[in-house]
């Protein structure tokens, strides 16, 4: 809303409360090509709150660092 000071300055309206996004199929093609780049775009434009987490579930076994690296590369290359 135009006069609502609780919102962040965001192109998308912003979120002020902490949130957690649970991503099923996190190692899959859809996550890499669509979901993570969209979330990256939200983060760049302050569409996510200052505190958020992404929890990924997948059948492919990955360490936390491998997950961050793979999705970080996907977000930067596609966004």
């Amino acid at each position: 809303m135009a006069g609502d000071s609780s919102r962040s300055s965001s192109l998308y309206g912003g979120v002020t409360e902490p949130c957690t996004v649970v991503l099923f199929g996190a190692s899959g093609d859809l996550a890499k090509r669509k979901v993570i780049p969209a979330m990256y775009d939200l983060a760049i434009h302050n569409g996510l709150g200052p505190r958020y987490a992404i929890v990924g579930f997948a059948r492919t076994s990955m360490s936390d660092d491998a997950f961050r690296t793979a999705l970080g590369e996907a977000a930067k290359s596609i966004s």
Side-chain angles (χ1 to χ4, degrees):
M1 308 352 159
D4 190 358
S5 62
S6 66
R7 294 206 177 255
S8 64
S9 60
S10 166
L11 179 66
Y12 301 111
V15 175
T16 58
E17 297 183 20
C19 68
T20 300
V21 176
V22 180
L23 180 59
F24 294 94
S27 65
D29 188 53
L30 180 64
K32 290 178 186 171
R33 288 188 310 113
K34 300 290 182 179
V35 178
I36 295 300
M39 291 194 65
Y40 178 77
D41 190 47
L42 284 171
I44 293 297
H45 293 97
N46 292 327
L48 296 172
R51 294 178 49 202
Y52 63 92
I54 301 172
V55 177
F57 288 95
R59 292 182 359 189
T60 304
S61 182
M62 283 188 191
S63 68
D64 290 345
D65 289 333
F67 177 67
R68 286 184 188 111
T69 301
L71 295 184
E73 290 172 4
K76 290 177 185 174
S77 68
I78 294 174
S79 292

